[in-house]
């Protein structure tokens, strides 16, 4: 093809594109003008968007049955050709612009299977995603129902909403058993307490394990329900599950003094260092103190968990005990009991200490989960609670910007981890 022919073809294609755009713009203008002339609203029942959705769906269905039968509507070619059109049936589907009543074509032998709106399908995909998104933000079934009725004029039963959200259970099972990395520099384990109605309403913990990968990404390893009386056997079962999914090594595990967990970690990963979160120790200390003393207590305890050495930390803690031990002996005993799991933190590089001195890494995740849980009040069973927490986790950071910020924060700390732990981190990446 000569350069002149190429140029001519490009010009034709460009003119066609401009023409198509002009037609599109002309069509849109015509539709809007007709809607205004007829007093139609853009949204709402009987609005322009509903009418357009109806026309588009019906046109697509007509195209599908034409492809299925091999001839156009009213085409003589279809006469005595075996299968043929056999009228239509009415059907109402819930869409993003509200309920839309459409007519679905039928064939004589019943072999036509629509793709765009399948048999027995009552909702288009976007509606399911919308319901799951609303539920993930903590809206109850009744609140989701009210939202759909108010915004979209759609009458959706609570049972239908529950059926939609139950779709996540299959995904949750796959997510909970997916393969994991061979090594993690740090794993945080924390508990979210939920109210479950099992005979009587009672507080039950759901444990969240959040890891930082060797690349500095945040990864939630899984969720596990408990009854509050967990011991070493329970934790060994959870850690063995994580280990069986591919995790051969964890450099450091940070927790809130969970009973039996250090012993289970020693069995699963003997080289892992377990340490208690300083923020949880501080928060638990406030339980034994009057509200007006919290700031004073926090001020005196900060030099303890920011001390450069364990010896310096012991000196600062002795000063705290002298100042507050008589008034609040329970706080002193709390820190003494947690000291063995707390002090390993003081032996590490400042970059490691800065990034893991608290469970702030997991607190932002927990804050989102707590909002969803609080909105629900209580749950009928354990599975319903796990489903709510899972959906809240899946709705975290949809743009990925939070993950990018998280990774940048961990870059320096990861280098310090690799040096401190004798190259165990870099060895796993090779």
């Amino acid at each position: 093809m000569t350069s002149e022919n190429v140029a001519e073809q490009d010009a034709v294609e460009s003119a066609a594109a401009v023409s198509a755009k002009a037609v599109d713009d002309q069509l849109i203008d015509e539709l809007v003008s007709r809607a205004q002339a007829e007093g139609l609203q853009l949204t709402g029942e009987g609005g322009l968007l509903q009418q357009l959705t109806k026309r588009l769906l019906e046109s697509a269905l007509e195209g599908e049955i034409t492809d299925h039968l091999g001839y156009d509507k009213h085409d003589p070619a279809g006469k005595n050709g075996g299968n043929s059109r056999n009228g239509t049936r009415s059907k109402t589907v819930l869409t993003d612009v509200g309920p839309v009543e459409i007519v679905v074509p039928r064939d004589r032998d019943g072999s036509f299977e629509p793709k765009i709106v399948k048999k027995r399908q009552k909702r288009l995909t976007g509606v399911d995603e919308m319901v799951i998104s609303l539920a993930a933000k903590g809206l109850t079934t009744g609140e989701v129902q009210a939202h759909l009725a108010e915004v979209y004029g759609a009458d959706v039963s609570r049972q239908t909403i529950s059926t939609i959200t139950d779709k996540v259970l299959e995904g949750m099972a796959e997510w909970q058993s997916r393969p994991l990395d061979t090594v993690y520099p740090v794993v945080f384990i924390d508990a979210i307490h939920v109210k479950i109605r099992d005979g009587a309403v009672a507080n039950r913990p759901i444990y969240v394990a959040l890891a930082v990968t060797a690349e500095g990404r945040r990864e939630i390893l899984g969720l596990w329900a408990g009854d509050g009386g967990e011991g070493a056997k329970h934790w060994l079962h959870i850690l063995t599950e994580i280990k069986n999914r591919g995790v051969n090594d964890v450099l450091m595990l940070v927790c809130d003094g969970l009973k039996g967990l250090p012993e289970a970690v020693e069995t699963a990963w003997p080289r892992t260092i377990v340490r208690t979160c300083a923020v949880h120790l501080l928060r638990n200390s406030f339980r034994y103190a009057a509200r007006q003393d919290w700031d004073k207590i926090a001020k005196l305890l900060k030099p303890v968990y920011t001390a450069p050495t364990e010896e310096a930390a012991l000196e600062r803690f002795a000063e705290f005990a002298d100042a507050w031990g008589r008034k609040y002996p329970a706080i002193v005993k709390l820190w003494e009991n947690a000291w063995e799991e707390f002090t390993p933190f003081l032996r590490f590089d400042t970059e490691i200490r800065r990034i893991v001195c608290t469970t702030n890494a997991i607190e932002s995740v927990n804050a989102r989960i707590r909002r969803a849980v609080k909105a629900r009040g209580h749950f009928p069973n354990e599975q319903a609670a796990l489903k709510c927490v899972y959906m809240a986790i899946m709705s975290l950071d949809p743009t990925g910007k939070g993950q990018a910020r998280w990774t940048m924060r961990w870059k320096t700390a990861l280098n310090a981890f690799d040096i401190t732990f004798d190259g165990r981190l870099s060895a796993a990446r090779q």
Side-chain angles (χ1 to χ4, degrees), residues 296-428:
K296 299 172 187 175
I297 290 171
K299 187 176 181 179
L300 271 182
L301 283 174
K302 185 175 181 179
V304 177
Y305 59 83
T306 58
T309 64
E310 184 176 350
E311 292 74 19
L314 281 169
E315 291 177 7
R316 303 291 81 78
F317 182 67
E319 293 172 1
F320 172 82
D322 288 342
W324 292 98
R326 182 172 296 180
K327 186 174 183 180
Y328 298 123
I331 297 179
V332 175
K333 185 176 180 180
L334 174 71
W335 281 74
E336 288 175 344
N337 290 341
W339 198 259
E340 288 301 316
E341 282 76 40
F342 165 68
T343 52
F345 157 76
L346 298 171
R347 304 170 195 155
F348 294 115
D349 180 275
T350 54
E351 285 297 333
I352 295 178
R353 291 173 58 176
R354 179 180 63 82
I355 209 75
V356 300
C357 70
T358 73
T359 53
N360 283 348
I362 199 170
E363 283 300 320
S364 61
V365 174
N366 286 352
R368 175 69 66 86
I369 296 172
R370 287 191 184 99
R371 285 200 298 271
V373 167
K374 186 178 180 181
R376 294 293 301 271
H378 64 268
F379 299 90
N381 51 51
E382 183 180 284
Q383 187 182 58
L386 284 169
K387 182 173 76 170
C388 176
V389 174
Y390 170 73
M391 287 194 295
I393 288 172
M394 291 300 103
S395 69
L396 289 169
D397 191 26
T399 65
K401 293 181 179 178
Q403 189 74 275
R405 289 194 298 269
W406 175 283
T407 302
M408 288 300 296
R409 287 176 54 217
W410 275 88
K411 287 297 183 185
T412 307
L414 288 172
N415 291 328
F417 261 104
D418 202 37
I419 295 170
T420 303
F421 288 90
D422 301 321
R424 282 156 61 188
L425 194 58
S426 57

Side-chain angles (χ1 to χ4, degrees), residues 10 28 48 57 63 100 114 162 172 222 298 301 350 361 410 425:
D10 289 344
I28 291 171
L48 178 61
L57 290 176
V100 175
S162 295
M172 184 171 74
L301 283 174
T350 54
W410 275 88
L425 194 58

Side-chain angles (χ1 to χ4, degrees), residues 227-342:
D227 58 16
E230 289 72 33
K233 185 176 180 180
H234 171 86
W235 286 112
L236 184 58
H237 175 76
I238 290 177
L239 298 184
T240 301
E241 177 188 320
I242 295 174
K243 192 172 181 179
N244 289 341
R245 290 162 62 191
V247 183
N248 296 325
D249 193 12
V250 173
L251 306 187
M252 182 182 291
L253 188 142
V254 182
C255 64
D256 179 21
L258 297 169
K259 184 180 178 181
L261 181 54
E263 294 87 343
V265 172
E266 187 175 353
T267 302
W269 301 297
R271 296 189 294 173
T272 299
I273 291 176
V274 180
R275 65 165 296 273
T276 298
C277 166
V279 162
H280 277 93
L281 278 174
L282 191 61
R283 190 179 299 156
N284 291 339
S285 300
F286 294 155
R287 297 179 183 175
Y288 303 104
R291 179 65 181 85
Q292 63 266 25
D293 292 331
W294 286 7
D295 289 343
K296 299 172 187 175
I297 290 171
K299 187 176 181 179
L300 271 182
L301 283 174
K302 185 175 181 179
V304 177
Y305 59 83
T306 58
T309 64
E310 184 176 350
E311 292 74 19
L314 281 169
E315 291 177 7
R316 303 291 81 78
F317 182 67
E319 293 172 1
F320 172 82
D322 288 342
W324 292 98
R326 182 172 296 180
K327 186 174 183 180
Y328 298 123
I331 297 179
V332 175
K333 185 176 180 180
L334 174 71
W335 281 74
E336 288 175 344
N337 290 341
W339 198 259
E340 288 301 316
E341 282 76 40
F342 165 68

Side-chain angles (χ1 to χ4, degrees), residues 79-310:
K79 188 175 182 181
N80 301 320
N83 196 14
S84 61
R85 285 173 170 78
N86 188 31
T88 61
R89 59 184 176 85
S90 295
K91 178 177 182 176
T92 300
V93 291
L94 181 62
T95 72
D96 292 347
V97 296
V100 175
E101 186 176 348
I102 59 175
V103 292
V104 181
R106 298 185 299 184
D107 61 341
R108 194 166 296 281
D109 66 11
S111 60
F112 175 50
E113 295 283 348
K115 300 293 189 298
I116 191 167
V117 182
K118 296 180 176 62
K119 287 183 177 179
R120 292 177 292 280
Q121 184 180 358
K122 298 294 185 182
R123 304 174 305 276
L124 298 189
T125 305
V127 176
D128 286 14
E129 294 171 351
M130 186 194 317
V131 169
I132 290 172
S133 175
L134 292 170
K137 291 176 171 58
L139 271 69
T140 65
T141 302
E143 288 170 336
V144 173
Q145 182 186 39
H147 176 84
L148 294 175
E150 180 180 350
V151 178
Y152 299 100
D155 183 14
V156 185
S157 71
R158 295 192 180 198
Q159 181 58 49
T160 298
I161 293 169
S162 295
T163 301
I164 293 172
T165 56
D166 280 345
K167 288 183 178 181
V168 306
L169 294 176
E170 183 177 342
M172 184 171 74
E174 291 181 9
W175 174 80
Q176 187 78 11
S177 59
R178 74 195 187 281
L180 301 173
D181 293 352
T182 56
V183 63
Y184 290 100
V186 60
V187 172
F188 301 88
I189 295 184
D190 202 5
I192 296 291
H193 287 87
V194 301
K195 295 182 184 298
I196 295 178
R197 187 177 65 248
D198 187 7
V201 176
N203 276 326
R204 296 267 300 278
I206 290 180
Y207 298 103
V208 181
L210 182 148
V212 178
T213 71
E215 293 76 32
R217 292 181 293 102
R218 177 177 64 192
E219 181 177 1
I220 297 175
L221 306 185
L223 302 170
W224 295 269
D227 58 16
E230 289 72 33
K233 185 176 180 180
H234 171 86
W235 286 112
L236 184 58
H237 175 76
I238 290 177
L239 298 184
T240 301
E241 177 188 320
I242 295 174
K243 192 172 181 179
N244 289 341
R245 290 162 62 191
V247 183
N248 296 325
D249 193 12
V250 173
L251 306 187
M252 182 182 291
L253 188 142
V254 182
C255 64
D256 179 21
L258 297 169
K259 184 180 178 181
L261 181 54
E263 294 87 343
V265 172
E266 187 175 353
T267 302
W269 301 297
R271 296 189 294 173
T272 299
I273 291 176
V274 180
R275 65 165 296 273
T276 298
C277 166
V279 162
H280 277 93
L281 278 174
L282 191 61
R283 190 179 299 156
N284 291 339
S285 300
F286 294 155
R287 297 179 183 175
Y288 303 104
R291 179 65 181 85
Q292 63 266 25
D293 292 331
W294 286 7
D295 289 343
K296 299 172 187 175
I297 290 171
K299 187 176 181 179
L300 271 182
L301 283 174
K302 185 175 181 179
V304 177
Y305 59 83
T306 58
T309 64
E310 184 176 350

